[in-house]
Amino acid sequence: MDEIDLKIVSTLQKDARISLKKLADICFISAPAVSTRLTHLEERGIITNYQTQIDYKLLGYPIKAYVSLRLSPKDKEAFYPYIKSVGNVVACDCVTGSYSQIITCYFKTTKALDNFINDIQRFGETKTQIVFSTSVERRPLELTPTENYF
Amino acid sequence: MDEIDLKIVSTLQKDARISLKKLADICFISAPAVSTRLTHLEERGIITNYQTQIDYKLLGYPIKAYVSLRLSPKDKEAFYPYIKSVGNVVACDCVTGSYSQIITCYFKTTKALDNFINDIQRFGETKTQIVFSTSVERRPLELTPTENYF
DNA sequence: TCAACAAATGGATGAAATTGATTTGAAAAT
DNA sequence: ATTTTCAAATCAATTTCATCCATTTGTTGA
């Protein structure tokens, strides 16, 4: 993981469909060299996958919500496979605090969200926060910090 | 936005670097046809960008946290440009509830996270939830639901 | 029935990715 | 100090892919 790898990763983060040739020009090495580095980055698990970001509103999913769930440890075994299987869920983290799970999800209607919440309440108490607006859309982590960085 | 567009979008969501030729084979249309459709999807804003997902732990950012902030309306104007400028922040949403902002962020150390929290407390009271483990890594929304969907 | 338009195909051309052979350069061993 | 070794680069050749353009198809509305 040297400077060139970092350049490759940080460039790809922002444009996953850039060609190897352009990457090669940016990094001042040849295209085959970029190709082998890329393969290594994938093999080492540093690059996990390439995702296209979609405007879910335009596709009919205007409801975004964070659902917190108070999950008792004994139910984890049942909860994890379940939450993975729900197509509306785009992320789920186990966190510190009394609400142990934070679920990020999208829905077509508030009714659908309500159905989901009713369904998961068999695992524990929930708290739902619906998104009004987004000031920072899902974006890459800044890997070459300049200012305002910790 | 027909069935073919949906196929293109849902395929690209999972593999942003797939070639037009492969997409063409999957959709049973020609490569030029995919190309024009893709351009339209980008122009219409349905596809917003192509991101490469990185294992931030492996790059030295093992701390992921959700920071909730009780932000008073009068401070929004100052807060939004600020939060955009912080490279550690990968998402920020305005939500229902007494904590009006949910910030998703990554840090190299808990100390760095602490610095960040101290810094944003000038905007209001905060509540921090550190991620222990992730059961659903950031993934695309399922656009062609089968079961377990709401 | 016949424009008129949107969108797909097919072939040609130029660009890019991949492969294999070879070279370079730095670190470890003699 | 010289040699060995290995990783990683370049170069050249081949294959694959993207784009362009002319033509065709299919649908809608006069």
Side-chain angles (χ1 to χ4, degrees):
Chain A
M1 195 68 206
D2 57 8
E3 280 301 308
I4 296 178
D5 280 339
L6 198 63
K7 190 79 194 167
I8 290 173
V9 166
S10 60
T11 304
L12 275 172
Q13 272 201 121
K14 290 168 201 147
D15 179 11
R17 279 185 75 78
I18 192 173
S19 69
L20 293 188
K21 172 142 191 9
K22 280 184 185 164
L23 264 180
D25 292 345
I26 290 169
C27 298
F28 301 105
I29 59 175
S30 67
V34 174
S35 179
T36 58
R37 277 171 179 270
L38 204 47
T39 304
H40 287 158
L41 287 166
E42 289 166 1
E43 284 169 354
R44 281 187 284 164
I46 291 173
I47 289 175
T48 60
N49 59 63
Y50 304 96
Q51 290 182 13
T52 295
Q53 303 303 119
I54 303 299
D55 187 323
Y56 291 132
K57 273 197 185 61
L58 293 182
L59 287 195
Y61 294 85
I63 313 295
K64 179 182 184 182
Y66 290 94
V67 178
S68 297
L69 172 68
R70 199 181 291 252
L71 179 69
S72 66
K74 67 169 172 52
D75 291 331
K76 277 193 179 180
E77 207 175 335
F79 176 74
Y80 286 159
Y82 164 77
I83 201 69
K84 276 200 213 339
S85 78
V86 179
N88 306 66
V89 172
V90 301
C92 180
D93 290 291
C94 175
V95 296
T96 54
S98 60
Y99 285 88
S100 69
Q101 304 290 325
I102 295 182
I103 301 158
T104 311
C105 44
Y106 288 87
F107 291 91
K108 290 188 171 181
T109 60
T110 49
K111 178 94 182 63
L113 168 57
D114 190 42
N115 288 340
F116 172 61
I117 292 165
N118 288 338
D119 198 42
I120 63 168
Q121 271 179 353
R122 61 196 158 94
F123 292 107
E125 185 197 338
T126 62
K127 189 182 72 179
T128 302
Q129 288 169 289
I130 295 179
V131 173
F132 283 137
S133 64
T134 301
S135 55
V136 179
E137 295 277 359
R138 189 74 192 182
R139 68 180 185 187
L141 181 61
E142 184 59 64
L143 297 175
T144 51
T146 48
E147 50 185 299
N148 255 329
Y149 216 74
F150 302 96
Chain B
M1 194 69 205
D2 58 7
E3 281 301 309
I4 296 178
D5 280 339
L6 198 63
K7 190 79 194 168
I8 290 173
V9 167
S10 61
T11 304
L12 275 172
Q13 271 200 122
K14 290 168 198 143
D15 180 10
R17 281 187 73 79
I18 193 172
S19 69
L20 292 188
K21 179 161 189 341
K22 281 183 184 165
L23 263 181
D25 292 344
I26 290 170
C27 298
F28 301 106
I29 59 174
S30 66
V34 173
S35 179
T36 57
R37 278 171 178 269
L38 202 47
T39 304
H40 287 158
L41 287 166
E42 289 166 0
E43 283 170 353
R44 281 187 285 163
I46 290 173
I47 289 175
T48 59
N49 60 62
Y50 305 96
Q51 290 182 12
T52 295
Q53 302 303 120
I54 302 300
D55 187 325
Y56 292 132
K57 273 198 183 60
L58 293 181
L59 286 195
Y61 294 84
I63 313 295
K64 178 183 184 181
Y66 291 94
V67 177
S68 297
L69 172 67
R70 197 182 292 252
L71 180 67
S72 65
K74 66 169 174 50
D75 292 331
K76 277 193 179 181
E77 207 176 333
F79 176 73
Y80 286 159
Y82 164 77
I83 201 69
K84 277 200 210 342
S85 78
V86 179
N88 305 66
V89 171
V90 302
C92 181
D93 290 291
C94 175
V95 296
T96 55
S98 60
Y99 285 88
S100 67
Q101 303 290 325
I102 295 182
I103 301 158
T104 311
C105 45
Y106 288 87
F107 290 90
K108 290 188 170 180
T109 61
T110 49
K111 180 90 181 64
L113 169 57
D114 190 42
N115 288 341
F116 172 61
I117 293 167
N118 288 338
D119 199 39
I120 64 167
Q121 272 179 353
R122 61 196 158 95
F123 293 106
E125 186 198 336
T126 62
K127 191 183 71 179
T128 302
Q129 288 170 288
I130 295 179
V131 174
F132 283 139
S133 65
T134 300
S135 55
V136 179
E137 295 276 0
R138 188 74 193 184
R139 69 180 183 187
L141 181 61
E142 184 59 64
L143 296 176
T144 51
T146 49
E147 50 185 300
N148 258 327
Y149 216 75
F150 299 97

